Amino acid sequence: MSDTQAPSTQATKKCDRQFPPQPQGYLLFKLSELQDQPIEYLAHMWREYGDLVRLPIIPGFTFYLAAHPDHAEHMLSTHQERYAKPDVFIKPMSLIQGQGLFTSEGKFWLKQRRLMQPAFHQKQLVNLHDVILSCVQSLLYEWEDKPEGEVIDIAAEMTRLTLKIVSSALFSVDISGETDRLGQAFRTALAYVYYRMNTPLALPVWIPTPQNLKFRQAKQTIDSVVLEIIRSHRQDPTNKYDLLSMLLAAQDEDTGEGMSDRQLQNEVITLINAGHETTATALAWTWYLLGTHPDVMAKMQDEVKTVLNGSSPTVEKLPQLQYSRQVFEESLRLCPPGLGQPRVALEDDELQGYFIPKGSIFNIAHYFIFRHPEFWENPDQFDPDRFLPEKVNQRPKFAYFPFGGGQHICIGKSFALMESTIILAAIAQRFHIELVPHQPIEIDPRFTLRPKYGIKVTVRKRY
Ligand code: HEM
C-alpha cells in the first residue's frame, strides 16, 4: 500500500451531533510536521481515520480533512451556498493580490466574475490561440540555439513561458525581460502566504522581521511590473479586445464608476498569479511523468506526428490531439498544483452523517480524492487512458475536479487546457526531452506543489 492510499474500509458510526473521527488531543505540537510535510502527514490521518477527519489544532481552532468525492460535491456544488473561502486563506492571499476575483465572495465577487467571464469565452479563446503559439515558438527558437544536450530546468522554463503567455494573451504586453524576476517574486510571496496561513501568531507585515522584509520586497517587484503593464496598456490605444481593455472599460451598473487603479492592479495580479503558477507547475510535472514513462512519451509523439504532420498545432487540430490532452489530465490527477481547496461552513451542517458546526474550516483535499482507491484502480500509476471519454463517464463528477467546481470553478480552465495542449504538442513535435538521471525530485509543499529542486532535462532536436 502506498503512502497516500486510504484504508480499504472505515467503520463510520453515524448519529446525531457526532463529530467526525479525530486523533487524540490537540495538534499544536505537530504543527511543524503538518507545515513541512503536509502530504505525508495528512495521508497518515486519512489512512488512520478515513475520508472525513477532524483535526483540532488549538482550543478554538479545528480544521477538517475531506477526502471523498461526495464531500467535494456537497461543499462545492450542491450545498455551495453553505460554504465560502475562509479568512485564514483569503487574508494571507490578499497580501499579494488585495481583494480580487480569487480572494472575494458575495456581491463583489459576482460583479467581478461577470465582468471578466466574457474574456474567457470560447470565441475569445480562439483569438488567443495564435498569441499562445507564438510565445511557445519563441521559446523553441531559444532552445534550438542551445548546444546539443545542454541541461535546462524545465520547471523554470515552464514558469517563464506561462508568464509570457498570460501577459501577452490577457494584457497584450510582452514581459519577457521580467519573467525571471517576476516568477521569483511570486514564489517568495506565495511561500510567505503559506507561512502566514499556518502560523496563527505571525507578526504583522509592517514589523520589519527578515521574513516580512523579504515578502515586502517581492510584493514591490510584483506591483512595479503590474503597474508598468497597466501604464503601457493605457498608452497603447490599439489593444482594444483583451481582458485588460475590458477591465479598463468596465463601469459599475449603479454608479457608472470605472475600476479604481488599485482594483485594476489587484485583478491583474490575481490573473497573472492564478494564470501562470498552476499551469507551469502542472506542465513541469507532466514533463517529469513523461520522462519516467517513455512508452507514454512515444505514444504522444506518435499522435503529434500523425495529427500535425509537421505543421503547427492550430486551433482546428487541437481536438485531434486527444492523447496529448489525456496525458495532461492524468498528470493533473497525480500531481495537481495544489493539495486542496479551502472552505468554511457558514452555518451548521451535516456531512456523511456527521455534525459540522458553523465556522468549521475544511481542506477539500483533491490530492487524495484523485487517488482514492474506490474510484481509481492502481491510483499511483500514471495511465493517461483513464481519461478516454468512455472511462471518464464511469466516474462520479467529483472524483476528478482539478479546476474546482460550482460557482468558483476556475475561470481559466479552458484557457489552461488549450494552452497546455499547445505547449506539450509543440515541444514534443520538435524536441526529445530526457530527464537527467539521479537528480533529487521532491515536492515543495508551500502553496502550489512545485518540484522543489526544479526538473533537469536535456533537450535534443528531433529531425
Ligand atoms: C492547470 C492550470 C490551473 C489549475 C489546476 C487551476 C485550478 C483552479 C482551482 C482549483 C480553482 C478553484 C479554487 C477554489 O474554488 O477554491 C481556480 C480558480 C481560479 N483560477 Fe484557476 N487553475 C488553473 C489555471 C488558471 C488560469 C490559466 C487562470 C487565468 C488565466 C486561472 C484563474 C483563476 C481564477 C481567477 C480563479 C478564481 C475564480 C473564482 O473564484 O471565481 N486559473 N483555479
Side-chain angles (χ1 to χ4, degrees):
M1 186 155 137
S2 88
D3 257 12
T4 48
Q5 256 175 310
S8 50
T9 54
Q10 181 75 28
T12 48
K13 278 211 243 144
K14 300 175 188 181
C15 65
D16 257 1
R17 298 241 140 184
Q18 183 174 342
F19 288 113
Q22 65 173 78
Q24 279 216 323
Y26 291 102
L27 301 181
L28 180 62
F29 298 110
K30 301 272 183 190
L31 211 53
S32 62
E33 208 183 317
L34 181 59
Q35 274 170 23
D36 296 343
Q37 300 198 303
I39 297 179
E40 292 77 0
Y41 187 81
L42 293 175
H44 173 63
M45 292 293 123
W46 185 35
R47 252 194 328 265
E48 277 305 291
Y49 300 100
D51 290 338
L52 189 61
V53 191
R54 186 169 184 265
L55 297 163
I57 307 290
I58 49 174
F61 185 76
T62 293
F63 94 94
Y64 293 74
L65 175 72
H68 192 281
D70 292 350
H71 305 154
E73 182 163 28
H74 180 93
M75 287 186 265
L76 297 179
S77 178
T78 48
H79 297 80
Q80 57 181 307
E81 71 290 350
R82 297 184 193 166
Y83 293 86
K85 293 183 185 174
D87 276 356
V88 285
F89 169 78
I90 284 193
K91 282 192 176 157
M93 204 59 201
S94 303
L95 292 172
I96 307 181
Q97 52 202 38
Q99 194 189 17
L101 190 60
F102 202 75
T103 45
S104 56
E105 287 282 356
K107 260 189 170 171
F108 179 81
W109 165 79
L110 187 60
K111 188 176 122 198
Q112 297 301 100
R113 178 92 193 197
R114 286 195 176 137
L115 201 67
M116 293 193 212
Q117 193 72 59
F120 292 92
H121 278 163
Q122 205 57 40
K123 202 169 59 173
Q124 186 72 6
L125 290 184
V126 171
N127 298 331
L128 300 182
H129 175 276
D130 289 351
V131 182
I132 296 174
L133 193 56
S134 95
C135 291
V136 186
Q137 265 154 359
S138 73
L139 177 82
L140 297 186
Y141 292 140
E142 275 180 43
W143 285 7
E144 272 168 10
D145 286 343
K146 287 185 189 297
E148 187 74 11
E150 184 170 297
V151 172
I152 59 167
D153 176 0
I154 202 155
E157 294 290 288
M158 293 299 105
T159 301
R160 274 205 304 139
L161 177 59
T162 53
L163 266 174
K164 187 176 158 113
I165 289 175
V166 84
S167 53
S168 307
L170 300 184
F171 311 125
S172 312
V173 177
D174 182 359
I175 56 162
S176 298
E178 300 282 5
T179 48
D180 288 343
R181 197 164 73 99
L182 191 60
Q184 186 53 50
F186 270 117
R187 263 198 304 291
T188 304
L190 287 172
Y192 181 79
V193 165
Y194 182 76
Y195 152 77
R196 287 203 76 94
M197 279 198 279
N198 290 288
T199 315
L201 301 176
L203 292 170
V205 183
W206 56 266
I207 296 181
T209 63
Q211 255 164 327
N212 285 351
L213 288 173
K214 208 171 155 199
F215 167 74
R216 274 156 49 180
Q217 202 171 19
K219 171 70 174 141
Q220 220 166 33
T221 302
I222 295 168
D223 285 348
S224 67
V225 176
V226 166
L227 287 173
E228 181 53 29
I229 290 178
I230 297 173
R231 192 194 60 75
S232 79
H233 199 283
R234 276 196 166 128
Q235 273 180 357
D236 183 353
T238 55
N239 302 320
K240 285 271 190 289
Y241 303 108
D242 62 10
L243 178 70
L244 191 46
S245 311
M246 288 184 190
L247 297 178
L248 282 165
Q251 289 187 335
D252 189 288
E253 277 173 15
D254 302 327
T255 64
E257 277 175 23
M259 269 194 207
S260 68
D261 280 359
R262 166 64 63 187
Q263 189 53 53
L264 205 56
Q265 190 182 342
N266 290 345
E267 293 301 9
V268 174
I269 295 176
T270 296
L271 287 161
I272 296 182
N273 188 21
H276 92 279
E277 176 72 13
T278 40
T279 316
T281 302
L283 284 165
W285 287 118
T286 307
W287 290 117
Y288 173 73
L289 289 165
L290 285 167
T292 47
H293 296 80
D295 52 328
V296 178
M297 175 83 98
K299 195 169 165 188
M300 191 176 99
Q301 280 174 334
D302 277 354
E303 176 185 83
V304 168
K305 195 171 168 200
T306 312
V307 172
L308 300 184
N309 194 18
S311 64
S312 299
T314 55
V315 79
E316 296 76 28
K317 295 271 169 67
L318 284 187
Q320 293 173 54
L321 293 168
Q322 168 70 23
Y323 190 71
S324 309
R325 163 102 168 228
Q326 284 173 218
V327 166
F328 187 65
E329 289 176 316
E330 171 69 343
S331 161
L332 276 177
R333 181 188 72 83
L334 269 183
C335 305
L339 206 156
Q341 297 163 37
R343 287 296 184 271
V344 58
L346 299 173
E347 54 189 90
D348 288 354
D349 199 8
E350 193 188 287
L351 198 54
Q352 203 187 310
Y354 291 110
F355 174 59
I356 303 297
K358 176 180 173 178
S360 300
I361 292 172
F362 284 85
N363 185 344
I364 307 173
H366 57 228
Y367 188 93
F368 301 123
I369 296 176
F370 297 174
R371 290 167 183 251
H372 200 302
E374 226 179 276
F375 305 96
W376 304 95
E377 215 180 302
N378 298 323
D380 295 332
Q381 200 176 310
F382 179 57
D383 175 11
D385 285 343
R386 298 178 200 274
F387 288 91
L388 284 167
E390 60 272 23
K391 292 206 177 164
V392 171
N393 295 336
Q394 290 165 11
R395 283 187 295 266
K397 185 170 166 207
F398 279 87
Y400 182 74
F401 55 105
F403 294 95
Q407 60 180 3
H408 282 291
I409 193 168
C410 178
I411 200 168
K413 176 180 174 182
S414 304
F415 180 91
L417 288 171
M418 174 173 87
E419 174 189 18
S420 303
T421 311
I422 296 172
I423 293 173
L424 289 175
I427 293 180
Q429 184 182 35
R430 302 252 288 276
F431 289 91
H432 282 295
I433 308 284
E434 278 167 36
L435 289 176
V436 170
H438 312 303
Q439 58 176 310
I441 298 288
E442 233 180 83
I443 295 175
D444 181 350
R446 291 172 305 166
F447 213 78
T448 44
L449 305 177
R450 288 179 66 87
K452 192 169 189 173
Y453 309 107
I455 290 176
K456 310 289 184 312
V457 300
T458 50
V459 292
R460 285 177 215 284
K461 272 174 255 173
R462 302 180 73 203
Y463 293 102

